[in-house]
Amino acid sequence: MQFGFLGVNYKNALLEIRDKISFTEGKKLEFFQRAEAVGVEQCMVLSTCNRSEVYYIYEKEEQERQIWEIYREMFSDVDLSGCLVQLSGEDAVAYLFRIAAGLESLVLGEDQILGQVKEALDDARTMGYSGKELNKIVRDAITCAKRVKTEFRISEKSLSVSSVGIRKLDEVFSIAGKRVLVIGSGKTAVLALKYIYEYPVERVVVCSRTEQNARRLLEKFDRIEVISYRERYRVMAECDIVVSATRSPHLTVRREQFCPMRRMAFLDLAAPRDIDTAFGQEELVTLINLDTLQGIVEGNRREREELVERSKDVIIQGVRETQEWVFQSRMDETIASLQQRCGVIVEDSFTYLDRKMEMNEREKKILRKVLNASLQRLLREPIQEMKRIGTEEEQEEFQRVVRRLFQM
């Protein structure tokens, strides 16, 4: 029994290729069924925007090639030359452990992938394509990933400019109880709103050059107020904080059109800049822009990389323990056969003695226990020796001997 991996990800396939290799629910089921047809009965599909990968348990070397062929045939209209990566054994186990911990993610150490791995295993189990071996390996990877996240907290070192910007804003100005104007309705502005609402703000107003886009944000943030872009300076005079995150090539807040009359903070999350740098000279204004934030983000990135290096020992240890289990589990069938043979002998012996001796129910129960314990004692050391066997060749030889000796 061996663990295998095959797939493409953002490291070896361009987005235009990954877009064509998405596993829909129908594709997943098709893969499971075709893998089962060649004898691979345990499979898991991990399909995200950055990867389309399959993990499986196989018995014969030829099944690795067959899984490769199934994958290629399912996406025959896509040129996968140089894109497909296939691993087996400890290399495949180690890769899954790194995946679950976020160490193979585009955003190093991100948390979302762990939930996606759990969901992938749940899908395989629901469809009936996950057994003892696959469950054990994937769950060990999930457990190890949780330990890495708890001990090293890699994801807490934010690489999002929006997150870093809002945290820096709160550090220097305090967001709680403030009135906030957000200019923009794109991805960066949405993230900024998400982080702003982590604080007990008094009021949040949003405007965008396209008012319709701003109003769509009401579906996600029902507490915001939406105003016309032309009204931004009027509302700005009522606010304490201004956050601007647009893709405009021009300034959205100009110094000559707005004069701060009290302490305010401006957070510019745009490139090119949205907010006039002249505000940085105002005594009443705190201005934060990408010049400040990029340094923090880069520092966080370096810290993440250091934490990743420190976490590798935990992953190596987890992989080693799982591999030991995988190796020993190859003898499970032989051990189970021995136990079954032992059970047959116990029942045969008990039946014979029951016919020859007069015993009450208590004595019969004791006799059966004694017979079983005696045979288990005889088998204990051979079974322990099986679990200590060091190579596959020795395992196979031991299995042949046991089958011959016990006529199994």
Side-chain angles (χ1 to χ4, degrees):
M1 186 273 289
Q2 195 72 277
F3 182 66
F5 150 78
L6 174 69
V8 301
N9 58 54
Y10 72 94
K11 290 184 178 180
N12 48 55
L14 297 173
L15 180 60
E16 62 189 52
I17 293 177
R18 301 200 305 274
D19 282 345
K20 299 174 183 177
I21 314 179
S22 176
F23 275 90
T24 61
E25 292 304 311
K27 284 279 190 182
K28 284 182 187 178
L29 185 57
E30 179 187 351
F31 177 82
F32 289 148
Q33 291 173 338
R34 294 184 65 175
E36 185 178 30
V38 299
V40 178
E41 298 179 349
Q42 297 187 58
C43 311
M44 180 182 84
V45 174
L46 180 61
S47 184
T48 72
C49 57
N50 285 322
R51 63 187 72 253
S52 291
E53 301 173 339
V54 296
Y55 301 84
Y56 50 93
I57 301 292
Y58 66 99
E59 299 287 345
K60 304 172 184 176
E61 288 186 11
E62 65 189 51
Q63 290 171 331
E64 272 199 291
R65 175 184 54 78
Q66 290 169 324
I67 290 294
W68 178 288
E69 290 173 353
I70 290 169
Y71 195 109
R72 290 292 300 265
E73 289 170 7
M74 286 182 62
F75 301 103
S76 58
D77 57 335
V78 185
D79 182 7
L80 295 177
S81 304
C83 295
L84 270 176
V85 175
Q86 191 166 32
L87 301 172
S88 62
E90 186 171 346
D91 290 339
V93 174
Y95 179 75
L96 176 59
F97 272 62
R98 294 196 304 274
I99 284 284
L103 307 192
E104 292 287 340
S105 296
L106 182 60
V107 178
L108 193 63
E110 55 100 0
D111 292 327
Q112 187 179 9
I113 188 65
L114 180 57
Q116 292 166 335
V117 171
K118 291 179 183 177
E119 185 177 344
L121 181 61
D122 286 342
D123 285 348
R125 189 165 52 242
T126 300
M127 295 183 186
Y129 292 93
S130 180
K132 180 181 75 173
E133 291 80 12
L134 184 61
N135 285 339
K136 169 68 174 174
I137 294 169
V138 179
R139 284 173 177 166
D140 281 359
I142 291 170
T143 299
C144 184
K146 288 179 178 177
R147 181 183 170 190
V148 167
K149 292 180 183 301
T150 299
E151 289 188 15
F152 300 97
R153 303 183 182 279
I154 297 171
S155 61
E156 290 186 9
K157 303 297 179 182
S158 180
L159 302 182
S160 160
V161 170
S162 295
S163 173
V164 170
I166 297 301
R167 290 184 185 180
K168 183 65 177 177
L169 180 63
D170 183 61
E171 179 185 319
V172 300
F173 196 72
S174 182
I175 298 173
K178 299 296 196 304
R179 293 160 294 183
V180 185
L181 170 65
V182 176
I183 304 173
S185 56
K187 183 178 178 180
T188 303
V190 169
L191 283 173
L193 282 166
K194 172 188 171 185
Y195 295 122
I196 286 169
Y197 273 115
E198 291 180 1
Y199 302 88
V201 288
E202 180 182 321
R203 180 190 183 195
V204 177
V205 184
V206 177
C207 69
S208 175
R209 288 181 185 275
T210 305
E211 189 173 337
Q212 184 180 0
N213 291 342
R215 293 201 173 278
R216 288 199 188 101
L217 297 181
L218 288 167
E219 298 172 9
K220 293 183 178 180
F221 308 97
D222 55 3
R223 292 162 52 197
I224 65 173
E225 300 174 38
V226 177
I227 62 167
S228 165
Y229 184 75
R230 293 188 300 274
E231 295 183 86
R232 67 190 185 283
Y233 287 115
R234 177 186 64 78
V235 175
M236 202 177 297
E238 303 170 3
C239 291
D240 310 293
I241 296 171
V242 177
V243 178
S244 192
T246 76
R247 299 176 66 181
S248 170
H250 310 294
L251 295 176
T252 59
V253 183
R254 297 178 181 276
R255 172 62 185 85
E256 63 267 23
Q257 292 182 271
F258 181 75
C259 180
M261 303 303 292
R262 64 176 186 282
R263 286 202 67 226
M264 293 185 69
F266 290 84
L267 173 60
D268 189 346
L269 297 174
R273 292 184 176 93
D274 272 354
I275 299 175
D276 198 332
T277 55
F279 283 107
Q281 308 302 316
E282 294 284 340
E283 186 176 346
L284 293 174
V285 172
T286 298
L287 174 63
I288 304 169
N289 55 31
L290 292 183
D291 290 340
T292 301
L293 301 181
Q294 292 291 8
I296 298 173
V297 169
E298 187 55 37
N300 286 353
R301 189 184 308 280
R302 287 193 296 269
E303 285 190 55
R304 278 199 181 199
E305 291 170 353
E306 291 170 5
L307 291 171
V308 165
E309 284 300 314
R310 287 168 52 193
S311 72
K312 286 182 179 179
D313 287 342
V314 172
I315 291 178
I316 290 171
Q317 177 188 347
V319 170
R320 185 182 298 121
E321 291 172 356
T322 299
Q323 271 300 99
E324 287 176 2
W325 181 90
V326 169
F327 185 78
Q328 291 175 2
S329 70
R330 295 192 183 109
M331 300 299 289
D332 285 354
E333 186 176 346
T334 301
I335 292 171
S337 296
L338 272 177
Q339 298 285 12
Q340 186 178 7
R341 181 72 171 141
C342 173
V344 171
I345 293 171
V346 167
E347 286 306 310
D348 288 347
S349 301
F350 174 79
T351 301
Y352 175 79
L353 292 172
D354 190 27
R355 288 200 308 266
K356 297 293 184 180
M357 302 166 59
E358 289 189 9
M359 296 179 288
N360 58 37
E361 289 304 315
R362 179 176 178 276
E363 289 169 334
K364 288 180 182 181
K365 187 179 292 186
I366 291 173
L367 176 60
R368 183 180 266 112
K369 284 186 176 180
V370 169
L371 288 172
N372 187 63
S374 298
L375 281 178
Q376 290 294 340
R377 182 180 176 187
L378 178 65
L379 292 177
R380 187 179 301 124
E381 289 184 2
I383 288 175
Q384 289 175 345
E385 186 63 29
M386 286 186 208
K387 292 182 176 181
R388 287 195 291 265
I389 293 174
T391 66
E392 288 186 49
E393 291 75 14
E394 288 176 329
Q395 283 183 334
E396 291 171 2
E397 180 62 27
F398 208 108
Q399 286 171 327
R400 282 194 294 270
V401 171
V402 169
R403 284 195 292 267
R404 184 173 179 181
L405 286 175
F406 290 88
Q407 299 180 0
M408 295 189 301

